[in-house]
Amino acid sequence: MTKGLYLKLAASNIKKNNKTYVPYILTCILTVAMYYIMKSLTLNPDLERLMGGQHVTLMLRFGSKIVGLFALIFLFYTNSFLIKRRKKEFGVFNILGMEKRHLAIVLGWETIYVLLIALAAGLGLGLAMDKMMFLLIAKLMNQKTPLGFFFTPKTALATAALFAGIFSLILIRCICQVQIANPIELLRAGNAGEREPKTRWLMALFGVLCVGSGYILAIITENPVTSIPVFFVAVILVIIGTYQLFAAASIAVLKMLRANKNFYYRTKHFTSVSGMIYRMKQNAAGLSNICILSTMVLVMLSATCSLLIGKEDILNTRYPFDFSIKNYETEPGRDGKVYEIIRNLQEERGMHVTNETAYMSLEFLVIWDGTTFVLDRDALNLGMAELDEIYSLFFLTIDDYNRLQGEHRTLEPGQILLCSGQIDDDQTVLKLLGEEYQIAGNLEEFTGGEDIFGKDTLQRQFLIVVPDLESMQKICEKQKELYENESSRIKQYYGFDSDLTPEEQIKFFQDTVEAIKEQELDVWMDSKADSDEDLSQLYGGFFFIGIFLGVLFIMATVLIIYYKQISEGFDDKERFAIMQKVGMELREIRASIRSQVLMVFFLPLLVAGCHVAAAFPLISRILALMNFINTRLYVICTGVTFLAFAVMYVVIYAVTARVYYRIVSR
């Protein structure tokens, strides 16, 4: 055979199989474009120069690796649909005298054609959209965008190398499948049926246990610190369980439906249920992938939208004052310098100060064993203590407490007030650092300053109110003896609001920080306006990554559904033809198709909805690590995201069901 014939035959094969190849090629083009854009943004120096651009660049690098790994897995998976439909074609070529090495050459040229089309169109689309994506991410970060167009050959070469490698692996797998099969097997492969699968109760039970365990972990985990590692464990359990449920539990359910005579012996149910039982084994992977991808899309978009929309709530939770100063200076003569600097700058700016708050506090970590506090530096540093056992003790004097709360409580030496919710009302003594303190009362709530109780901390907290500063200093010295260079210090906190504009607040903050550095004072200062910019950049980057990966996963979901419908259409074509010959009317065929597609098609969406609902408490706690505590907003974002995704899912159903019907009704 001449080389020209191979080229023509490869092009002809792609053209003849356009219904399966066109969606595949379009997907390859979009995947190439998305990887190129992500990779280009990571190398774009203009993004690095944006305020906060370094953090976004780091996230984009991680995102580009996800896209690359996803492209490898997804293109392998979708290519398997193409090869299954074409095995009969390969068998005919083989019987007509084409040797397997010739088939391998034809497959090679087909792969080269698809690769060249995908790279040419994908890189072109990526170049066209690269600047648009940069403008979008800059807009989300509230940054001004520089003029000019960025391009580096390094990005194009990296993209070409990645997809050339992926397509090479795909080609090797295709050639291996053709080489090991004989012509008769190839002829029958496209239409090979499935034996009735056995009901695997153990597998179904294992799937239920995996999913149930993941759900339980998501619901019962209360400590935000443990949420992230628990999240990954729960995700793995749910993914494994989802595959097991679709592979085994779905067959068990279908057989139970078949056993229900009132349901099964109806025209539209009889053919759909019987057909699905035989094909559910091969459908399990596709349905599971659709379900998992749908869950990922819903979780990513709802979480990132919540962070972006709820930025103001996060900011107010983290910074209840426009300016916050933590002063660790204790030397006489230096402890008041920071306030002198601030007062002078306030007068220079003509600033109107409101909501001033000031207090002294001490905070350090301990291990709570249920009855007493243990200060164990090694256990904390080496991670030997359970996260749920680690608490943060926060100390205030009774004078500061009364001023902040507007109360008039008194304490005798050796007495304390507690606010924790962990101490029983009948407990009268608390042991701490070898001392016993009389509990004069349990406080139900505390609404004090910026970082006192329930603010800006990952650990559970005890607020302990002591009689005076001397008592606090005594406790501080004892914890210094145990924690040594890792001990905490008493700090003076000062917070206040102002009438300055956000720009003026940032300028005031920068000038104050510069003056503090010049005096070499041990002081930490925060500004709400300055942090607002940081949060805009951070959450804008998160939202961009969420949208980007969400679009990628939605594209994958659509293609898997499309190929699944086409594959099932060809499998069911002869079965419905036989049914029509034995007297089944066209309207009955339509009803049967609608019943079958609805049963299978919307099952992944329903299961994905269950996954999202179960993950809700755990995702809420992970978001709490970022100071997002507006659960109502997260509920709204999750609900809107699910409804929007469900509408898109219905549209996909309408399109693919029509394609399926055209195939089986020919």
Side-chain angles (χ1 to χ4, degrees):
M1 296 179 70
T2 63
K3 184 177 180 180
L5 182 60
Y6 291 136
L7 295 173
K8 291 179 182 178
L9 193 57
S12 176
N13 289 342
I14 293 174
K15 186 176 180 180
K16 285 189 299 183
N17 293 280
N18 59 70
K19 282 192 175 179
T20 52
Y21 259 108
V22 169
Y24 176 66
I25 291 172
L26 288 175
T27 303
C28 292
I29 291 170
L30 289 174
T31 308
V32 169
M34 296 184 85
Y35 180 80
Y36 173 84
I37 292 169
M38 191 77 81
K39 191 72 176 176
S40 176
L41 288 172
T42 63
L43 299 174
N44 193 330
D46 290 332
L47 182 60
E48 289 254 6
R49 284 193 284 268
L50 293 180
M51 188 177 295
Q54 296 86 352
H55 302 297
V56 177
T57 300
L58 187 63
M59 287 189 288
L60 288 171
R61 283 178 187 151
F62 178 69
S64 66
K65 292 177 182 177
I66 293 177
V67 175
L69 180 62
F70 174 82
L72 173 64
I73 297 171
F74 180 61
L75 294 181
F76 254 85
Y77 182 79
T78 51
N79 182 262
S80 65
F81 283 98
L82 275 74
I83 297 303
K84 180 186 176 184
R85 298 308 330 156
R86 296 193 58 205
K87 281 184 177 179
K88 183 175 181 179
E89 178 186 335
F90 297 151
V92 171
F93 284 148
N94 210 187
I95 288 175
L96 292 176
M98 182 180 286
E99 297 179 17
K100 289 184 177 179
R101 63 186 180 88
H102 297 144
L103 280 175
I105 295 172
V106 173
L107 282 171
W109 280 111
E110 289 179 10
T111 304
I112 291 172
Y113 280 146
V114 174
L115 174 61
L116 292 176
I117 294 170
L119 285 177
L123 290 174
L125 182 62
L127 280 167
M129 294 184 65
D130 184 39
K131 185 64 177 181
M132 186 190 304
M133 292 297 105
F134 178 76
L135 293 173
L136 174 62
I137 198 169
K139 176 68 175 175
L140 290 171
M141 294 171 64
N142 291 332
Q143 297 286 301
K144 294 180 180 179
T145 55
L147 298 174
F149 186 83
F150 173 74
F151 171 76
T152 173
K154 183 180 178 181
T155 308
L157 290 173
T159 305
L162 172 68
F163 284 90
I166 292 173
F167 276 89
S168 297
L169 293 174
I170 290 172
L171 175 61
I172 291 169
R173 189 188 67 166
C174 294
I175 291 174
C176 289
Q177 287 182 338
V178 172
Q179 291 293 330
I180 62 176
N182 61 51
I184 302 302
E185 288 176 344
L186 289 171
L187 280 171
R188 298 178 60 185
N191 297 319
E194 291 275 354
R195 294 182 180 181
E196 180 175 332
K198 295 179 180 179
T199 305
R200 300 180 180 179
W201 292 108
L202 287 177
M203 184 184 290
L205 179 61
F206 180 69
V208 171
L209 288 175
C210 284
V211 172
S213 300
Y215 283 7
I216 291 170
L217 284 175
I219 293 169
I220 67 172
T221 303
E222 295 183 359
N223 193 333
V225 179
T226 60
S227 296
I228 294 178
V230 167
F231 174 75
F232 288 108
V233 174
V235 166
I236 292 170
L237 286 171
V238 169
I239 288 175
I240 293 171
T242 300
Y243 278 99
Q244 300 299 318
L245 285 175
F246 277 102
S250 57
I251 293 171
V253 171
L254 287 170
K255 286 191 175 182
M256 284 191 286
L257 291 176
R258 187 174 65 179
N260 185 341
K261 295 181 180 179
N262 292 330
F263 177 86
Y264 183 64
Y265 289 108
R266 293 183 181 180
T267 306
K268 64 178 181 179
H269 295 157
F270 178 82
T271 54
S272 58
V273 172
S274 61
M276 283 191 293
I277 288 176
Y278 282 87
R279 281 204 315 276
M280 191 52 73
K281 183 179 177 181
Q282 69 183 29
N283 281 346
L287 294 173
S288 302
N289 288 332
I290 294 168
C291 176
I292 291 166
L293 287 170
S294 300
T295 305
M296 292 170 70
V297 170
L298 292 169
V299 169
M300 277 194 307
L301 293 182
S302 59
T304 53
C305 285
S306 298
L307 287 173
L308 192 65
I309 297 171
K311 186 194 67 174
E312 286 299 320
D313 289 338
I314 296 170
L315 198 65
N316 291 330
T317 299
R318 177 65 181 81
Y319 304 102
F321 299 103
D322 290 345
F323 300 97
S324 304
I325 295 91
K326 299 173 185 177
N327 182 8
Y328 295 95
E329 288 288 353
T330 55
E331 277 187 44
R334 287 179 62 85
D335 55 351
K337 278 191 176 182
V338 64
Y339 303 109
E340 184 181 337
I341 291 170
I342 292 171
R343 294 298 183 193
N344 289 337
L345 287 172
Q346 288 174 346
E347 291 177 6
E348 286 179 14
R349 303 294 197 280
M351 183 189 299
H352 179 62
V353 177
T354 58
N355 297 330
E356 286 184 292
T357 297
Y359 58 84
M360 299 187 73
S361 64
L362 170 67
E363 183 179 15
F364 55 86
L365 297 180
V366 295
I367 299 171
W368 170 249
D369 66 2
T371 58
T372 186
F373 297 113
V374 179
L375 277 70
D376 190 334
R377 185 179 64 173
D378 293 334
L380 291 171
N381 288 345
L382 299 176
M384 292 185 289
E386 295 291 333
L387 289 172
D388 288 340
E389 298 174 350
I390 300 175
Y391 283 75
S392 173
L393 297 189
F394 204 104
F395 296 87
L396 277 180
T397 65
I398 189 65
D399 290 339
D400 283 336
Y401 172 82
N402 286 334
R403 187 174 64 258
L404 293 169
Q405 287 290 96
E407 298 183 16
H408 303 282
R409 293 176 180 257
T410 58
L411 287 176
E412 298 295 329
Q415 289 185 331
I416 58 172
L417 294 174
L418 284 179
C419 182
S420 69
Q422 302 293 319
I423 298 294
D424 296 332
D425 291 336
D426 57 352
Q427 187 170 338
T428 59
V429 177
L430 183 71
K431 295 180 181 179
L432 174 64
L433 295 168
E435 298 282 343
E436 288 190 355
Y437 294 88
Q438 297 295 320
I439 301 175
N442 288 331
L443 308 172
E444 293 185 2
E445 63 177 359
F446 183 75
T447 56
E450 183 261 355
D451 61 345
I452 291 185
F453 189 64
K455 306 271 189 179
D456 188 29
T457 183
L458 302 181
Q459 287 81 27
R460 298 180 182 182
Q461 290 180 293
F462 275 90
L463 172 65
I464 302 177
V465 181
V466 295
D468 48 38
L469 183 58
E470 185 180 347
S471 301
M472 187 187 294
Q473 288 172 337
K474 184 179 178 181
I475 293 170
C476 182
E477 291 303 319
K478 285 191 175 183
Q479 64 92 25
K480 280 184 180 180
E481 293 175 7
L482 293 169
Y483 286 160
E484 296 177 351
N485 60 329
E486 297 175 13
S487 62
S488 298
R489 294 173 293 166
I490 293 175
K491 70 182 177 189
Q492 302 176 39
Y493 177 81
Y494 174 47
F496 62 93
D497 291 333
S498 72
D499 58 348
L500 300 180
T501 64
E503 292 76 15
E504 291 172 336
Q505 288 182 33
I506 293 174
K507 177 62 176 170
F508 177 86
F509 168 70
Q510 292 171 345
D511 291 344
T512 307
V513 169
E514 189 63 32
I516 289 171
K517 285 182 179 179
E518 288 178 4
Q519 296 288 332
E520 297 182 350
L521 297 173
D522 190 3
V523 174
W524 181 266
M525 185 174 182
D526 285 319
S527 163
K528 181 187 285 189
D530 186 68
S531 299
D532 188 8
E533 288 195 358
D534 292 338
L535 286 181
S536 297
Q537 295 149 15
L538 180 63
Y539 295 155
F542 274 136
F543 186 67
F544 179 82
I545 298 292
I547 292 292
F548 204 90
L549 295 180
V551 170
L552 187 65
F553 293 151
I554 288 172
M555 180 183 70
T557 304
V558 171
L559 195 66
I560 290 173
I561 291 171
Y562 177 81
Y563 278 128
K564 180 180 173 299
Q565 294 290 71
I566 288 179
S567 179
E568 289 192 4
F570 284 112
D571 289 342
D572 290 344
K573 183 177 180 180
E574 293 184 9
R575 186 163 62 90
F576 280 109
I578 293 170
M579 289 291 184
Q580 202 167 3
K581 288 177 182 177
V582 297
M584 194 173 188
E585 297 180 7
L586 192 61
R587 62 180 179 82
E588 292 173 331
I589 291 177
R590 283 180 179 271
S592 178
I593 291 171
R594 191 180 304 111
S595 173
Q596 176 174 323
V597 173
L598 282 172
M599 264 192 240
V600 176
F601 197 86
F602 286 97
L603 187 60
L605 182 62
L606 293 174
V607 177
C610 294
H611 289 349
V612 172
F616 186 88
L618 187 59
I619 301 297
S620 297
R621 294 182 187 103
I622 292 174
L623 292 176
L625 295 175
M626 304 179 190
N627 296 112
F628 180 85
I629 56 175
N630 191 339
T631 306
R632 182 172 176 273
L633 176 60
Y634 184 39
V635 170
I636 293 171
C637 288
T638 302
V640 171
T641 303
F642 185 83
L643 288 175
F645 188 80
V647 169
M648 184 206 69
Y649 207 85
V650 170
V651 173
I652 298 170
Y653 160 72
V655 173
T656 55
R658 192 177 295 114
V659 173
Y660 176 91
Y661 179 73
R662 284 203 202 101
I663 293 172
V664 300
S665 61
R666 284 178 183 173

